[in-house]
Each structure stands twice: as structure tokens, then as C-alpha cells.
Amino acid sequence: MSTDATSLTPGDLEFLRRPLHGFLSVAGGPVPPQPRPVWFEATAEGTIQLFTGPETVKVRRLRGDPRASIVVAAPVGERERWLSVAGRTTVEPDGAHDLCARLAARYWDLDDPARADELAAMMATDQVRLVIHPEEVRRFTN
């Protein structure tokens, strides 16, 4: 395992651009933390972003304590690899619908009418963008 206190490496960004699920934990929640699977995007600036509804439990908790972490692991059948990013998280009112559309295209086959309908329903709801600003990055590659 290695730690780089503040940034994602080019190898990290390459790994995070794959359609993998991340497991998000926010501060201020139950002990022990109860991570939730999420879609995410690593940005060129080295942040991690995801979208959610503005009134979700995770947003309420982040407004009280902005710390969060996400863990992403390689799927079964690949060599063991994981990445953990922790840091301050901001709740951004803009860009969530564009992010939602990009991630849906990354994770789903939008030629499937059922998936296209699910995306349309998601786009019809209010969304905010959560941005994790890395303060600690841990990784393991086998």
C-alpha cells in the first residue's frame, strides 16, 4: 500500500476512468460508517465528483461535516487493486445533470429503452454535484 497525501497519479486517473462502482462514506453518519455504492467521475483537476438529490441524507451530513471518502476496487478476476480518496467535499448546485448524463452513458447501454427511461426520470429530478477534494490518497496494486 502506498500513500500520497494529496493527489491522484496518472495511473490512478486511468483506473478511475473505468466504469467501476465507488463506495462513498460521509462523516457524521452511523458508527461504523455505512458506505453506499455510487457512480463517480475523476476530473482532470484531480477531484472526484458524483451527483445526488439535494435533500439526501449524505448531503445533510456533508453540510454539517464536509469530510467524505470513496473507495474503488478492481472487479473479481483482475489482480487486486484499490484506491481510497478522502477529503473535504463541496456541494455544488451546478453541473449535476451534465454529470448524470455522462455517467449514465458510461455505466449503462442507453440504447436500451428501459435504461433511457431511467435516465430521463433521473434528469427530471433536482440534483447537486458532490466534489471530493483529495487530502489523502491511499492505493494498493498487486
Side-chain angles (χ1 to χ4, degrees), residues 65-117:
D65 185 336
R67 295 174 299 147
S69 67
I70 188 167
V71 175
V72 179
V76 172
E78 291 185 18
R79 292 184 66 88
E80 185 177 351
R81 180 176 187 179
W82 58 262
L83 182 73
S84 171
V85 178
R88 180 184 54 82
T89 303
T90 56
V91 179
E92 305 291 340
D94 64 323
H97 284 108
D98 290 340
L99 178 61
C100 176
R102 281 195 309 277
L103 291 176
R106 178 172 148 188
Y107 286 88
W108 288 345
D109 173 5
L110 294 176
D111 290 332
D112 177 341
R115 292 296 194 183
D117 288 346

Side-chain angles (χ1 to χ4, degrees), residues 35-58:
R36 298 291 185 258
V38 295
W39 291 352
F40 65 91
E41 179 179 75
T43 69
E45 296 79 26
T47 61
I48 304 292
Q49 59 182 1
L50 52 134
F51 65 92
T52 191
E55 301 302 323
T56 60
V57 171
K58 63 177 91 54

Side-chain angles (χ1 to χ4, degrees), residues 93-142:
D94 64 323
H97 284 108
D98 290 340
L99 178 61
C100 176
R102 281 195 309 277
L103 291 176
R106 178 172 148 188
Y107 286 88
W108 288 345
D109 173 5
L110 294 176
D111 290 332
D112 177 341
R115 292 296 194 183
D117 288 346
E118 287 180 69
L119 174 58
M122 292 165 67
M123 298 294 281
T125 63
D126 288 337
Q127 302 284 339
V128 294
R129 190 167 48 95
L130 304 181
V131 180
I132 302 173
H133 303 269
E135 295 172 355
E136 183 175 49
V137 178
R138 294 177 185 250
R139 62 187 63 79
F140 177 82
T141 304
N142 189 6

